[in-house]
Every structure is written in structure tokens, then in C-alpha cells.
């Protein structure tokens, strides 16, 4: 190997080593908190405040699970069910709404279409916390504050989902297919349900996963809208328990155990739907 080739190869190896180092640091930064959560969930209250959290002694996982579901009369089960209802049903309906709106923006021509889509893009940049107070005032005016609907209805409409829906419609539904369906006599609704919606399956799953994650982690809106503990999602319920743990240390193990169980639905959703999610992320790449 000549001196020139060695000089060229050295920066490449150095750059590759730098990239690998950054990747390793990023992976550790992501996995270490999750590892701590798993180990801490197996410890008793006394072990949490000692230096033995990384050891495999004092295994109290089963007892922590029992304490979690027995705390405050089994409130955690209610919170978990609420989160599943808010997130799964809300994400499913929200994804259908987002895909339908995105499909309409892409496939139909109507007055001020691009201006309206510009408003959708502008709404994407608005933080959800900014909208909490206006949503509360609207809910108060309609009398639905501190009800299931005050949290459920706002999560059905997601501007980012509408934007993704239009991208997926461009990438997955050729205009020629729609023209062929219309020539065969199919109406617009029939064409959408029987033809377009099937082709939009990967995009629908992708939007569903995005909205599922967003709704499951939603905290500020339920905190503003709800005062009835029986309507709390897991995020708000664990926050309340964590606040009480400063004066009642017995809440610490159940908060950690509850946080671990709260992560599982998102992990399972991404594992079982990753095939559709990966293909959905490539929508439009072949255009």
C-alpha cells in the first residue's frame, strides 16, 4: 500500500470509529435508564435507597406487583384501563380521521385547498400545551370538563397525522387506480373504502403508532381537564403517587413498578406492528 493510500484510508477509519463511538454512547444513553427501571422494579423500598440496586439480591418483583395493584384500592388497574381506552381507541379513530383528511387533500381539488393545508402545517408547529387552556375553556362551555370526553375528543384530531396521511396517499395510491375504479362505476366512498384504504394500510399503521405514543404519554391535557381520580390515565396517576412519595416513601416501589408496566404497551405495539411501520416510513420514496 502506497503512502497516498494510507493517508486516504486513515481519515476513513477515524471517521468510522467516531461514528461507532457516537452510536455506542447513544445506545447506552437510551438503554441505561431502561435497565435501571427494570432493576429498580425488583427492589424493596429499603433497597432502593441503598447502593445494592444493581445487585440481584433482595428480589421483590412479585411483592411490588401485588403492592401496585393493591395500592389505594386498586386505582392503578383503573388508570391502566383508562390509558388503554384513551390511547388505543383514540389512536385508531384518530388515524382513520387523519388518513381520510390527508387522502382528501391529495386526491381532490377544492377551493383554497393549499391554503387550508398550510393551516394544517402551521398547526403542526403549535405545542400541545399551548392548546390546553383554549381546550379547557371550550370543554367548560360545553359542560364536559372532568369527563371522559374532555380528554378523548381532542386527541382524535392530529395535524401531523393529516400531513402524514397526504404523504402516504401520494406514495401508495396512484391516480390511475382511482380512475380505473371510477370507470368501473365505483363511487367515491366505495373507491376509498375498498381500494384506497387497503393500499394505505402501512401508512394507517404508522399514523396509529405515532398517535398511540402521543396519547399514551399525554399528561398536561388530562391534568388540566380531570379532577376525578377514576378518570386519570397512567401518566397522571403515577405523577400523583410520585408527589405523595415525598411524605409516604411506600409509594416509591409502586411508582417504579407502575412506570415499568406503563412502558409495555408501547413496546409491544412497536414489536408486533414494526413490519407495517417500517414500510410506512418509506412511503413516497419511490415517487
Amino acid at each position: 500500500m502506497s503512502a497516498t493510500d494510507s493517508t486516504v484510508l486513515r481519515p476513513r477509519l477515524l471517521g468510522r470509529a467516531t461514528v461507532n463511538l457516537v452510536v455506542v454512547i447513544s445506545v447506552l444513553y437510551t438503554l441505561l435508564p431502561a435497565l435501571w427501571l427494570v432493576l429498580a422494579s425488583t427492589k424493596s423500598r429499603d433497597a432502593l435507597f441503598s447502593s445494592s440496586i444493581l445487585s440481584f439480591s433482595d428480589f421483590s418483583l412479585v411483592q411490588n406487583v401485588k403492592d401496585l395493584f393493591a395500592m389505594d384500592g386498586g386505582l392503578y388497574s383503573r388508570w391502566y384501563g383508562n390509558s388503554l381506552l384513551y390511547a388505543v381507541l383514540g389512536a385508531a379513530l384518530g388515524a382513520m380521521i387523519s388518513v381520510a383528511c390527508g387522502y382528501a387533500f391529495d386526491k381532490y381539488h377544492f377551493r383554497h385547498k393549499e391554503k387550508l393545508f398550510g393551516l394544517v402545517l402551521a398547526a403542526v408547529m403549535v405545542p400541545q400545551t399551548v392548546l390546553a387552556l383554549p381546550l379547557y375553556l371550550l370543554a367548560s362551555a360545553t359542560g364536559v370538563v372532568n369527563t371522559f370526553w374532555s380528554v378523548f375528543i381532542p386527541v382524535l384530531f392530529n395535524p401531523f397525522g393529516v400531513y402524514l396521511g397526504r404523504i402516504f396517499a401520494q406514495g401508495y395510491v396512484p391516480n390511475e387506480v382511482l380512475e380505473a375504479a371510477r370507470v368501473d362505476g365505483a363511487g367515491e366512498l366505495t373507491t376509498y373504502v375498498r381500494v384506497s384504504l387497503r393500499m394505505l394500510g402501512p401508512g394507517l399503521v404508522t399514523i396509529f403508532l405515532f398517535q398511540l405514543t402521543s396519547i399514551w404519554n399525554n399528561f398536561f391535557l388530562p391534568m388540566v381537564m380531570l379532577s376525578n381520580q377514576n378518570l386519570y390515565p397512567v401518566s397522571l396517576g403515577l405523577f400523583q403517587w410520585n408527589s405523595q412519595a415525598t411524605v409516604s416513601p411506600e409509594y416509591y416501589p409502586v411508582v417504579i413498578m407502575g412506570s415499568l408496566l406503563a412502558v409495555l404497551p408501547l413496546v409491544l405495539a412497536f414489536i408486533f406492528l414494526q413490519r407495517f411501520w417500517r414500510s410506512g416510513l418509506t412511503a413516497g420514496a419511490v415517487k
Side-chain angles (χ1 to χ4, degrees):
M1 180 181 296
S2 64
T4 303
D5 293 337
S6 178
T7 303
V8 173
L9 184 60
R10 190 176 303 140
R12 291 181 180 177
L13 294 176
L14 181 60
R16 185 178 303 172
T18 303
V19 171
N20 291 336
L21 179 61
V22 172
V23 170
V24 170
I25 293 175
S26 301
V27 170
L28 291 176
Y29 178 80
T30 303
L31 293 182
L32 285 179
L35 178 62
W36 183 92
L37 182 63
V38 172
L39 293 176
S41 65
T42 65
K43 303 301 178 183
S44 64
R45 184 187 65 184
D46 295 333
L48 286 175
F49 297 98
S50 67
S51 58
S52 60
I53 193 171
L54 296 179
S55 68
F56 292 95
S57 60
D58 194 17
F59 189 81
S60 304
L61 178 64
V62 177
Q63 186 60 43
N64 288 341
V65 173
K66 292 180 180 179
D67 293 341
L68 172 66
F69 288 100
M71 184 67 70
D72 292 347
L75 263 180
Y76 185 80
S77 300
R78 185 64 179 264
W79 294 341
Y80 211 89
N82 291 339
S83 287
L84 288 175
L85 187 61
Y86 291 138
V88 177
L89 183 59
L93 293 178
M96 294 292 293
I97 293 173
S98 296
V99 168
C101 293
Y103 176 85
F105 271 116
D106 180 57
K107 301 304 179 185
Y108 297 114
H109 299 282
F110 48 89
R111 190 177 181 183
H112 303 307
K113 181 177 80 170
E114 295 304 326
K115 292 181 180 178
L116 292 174
F117 190 69
L119 292 177
V120 172
L121 295 180
V124 172
M125 297 182 287
V126 178
Q128 294 299 312
T129 53
V130 175
L131 300 177
L133 181 58
L135 288 174
Y136 175 81
L137 295 176
L138 288 173
S140 178
T142 54
V144 296
V145 172
N146 199 32
T147 66
F148 166 82
W149 303 108
S150 63
V151 176
F152 182 73
I153 293 178
V155 301
L156 297 179
F157 306 98
N158 184 1
F160 183 63
V162 176
Y163 166 75
L164 289 179
R166 184 174 186 177
I167 298 300
F168 293 137
Q170 291 176 347
Y172 281 115
V173 185
N175 293 328
E176 294 79 8
V177 174
L178 301 182
E179 292 298 331
R182 290 163 182 157
V183 169
D184 290 340
E188 295 299 327
L189 183 60
T190 302
T191 301
Y192 175 71
V193 173
R194 294 189 178 182
V195 179
S196 301
L197 197 57
R198 295 182 180 181
M199 302 173 72
L200 287 168
L204 187 65
V205 172
T206 302
I207 297 175
F208 170 81
L209 286 174
F210 275 111
Q211 299 206 175
L212 178 70
T213 304
S214 176
I215 299 171
W216 187 268
N217 294 326
N218 193 9
F219 169 77
F220 194 69
L221 180 64
M223 185 178 68
V224 171
M225 293 291 189
L226 303 177
S227 59
N228 184 357
Q229 290 187 1
N230 291 326
L231 297 174
Y232 283 2
V234 168
S235 57
L236 184 57
L238 290 177
F239 172 79
Q240 181 184 5
W241 276 359
N242 189 58
S243 300
Q244 297 177 10
T246 56
V247 294
S248 302
E250 65 269 15
Y251 279 98
Y252 278 118
V254 297
V255 168
I256 294 174
M257 190 71 240
S259 300
L260 178 63
L261 295 183
V263 176
L264 293 181
L266 297 182
V267 174
L268 293 176
F270 274 87
I271 289 176
F272 288 113
L273 299 176
Q274 63 176 331
R275 178 168 61 91
F276 301 99
W277 177 56
R278 288 177 179 177
S279 60
L281 290 179
T282 62
V286 296
K287 290 289 286 181

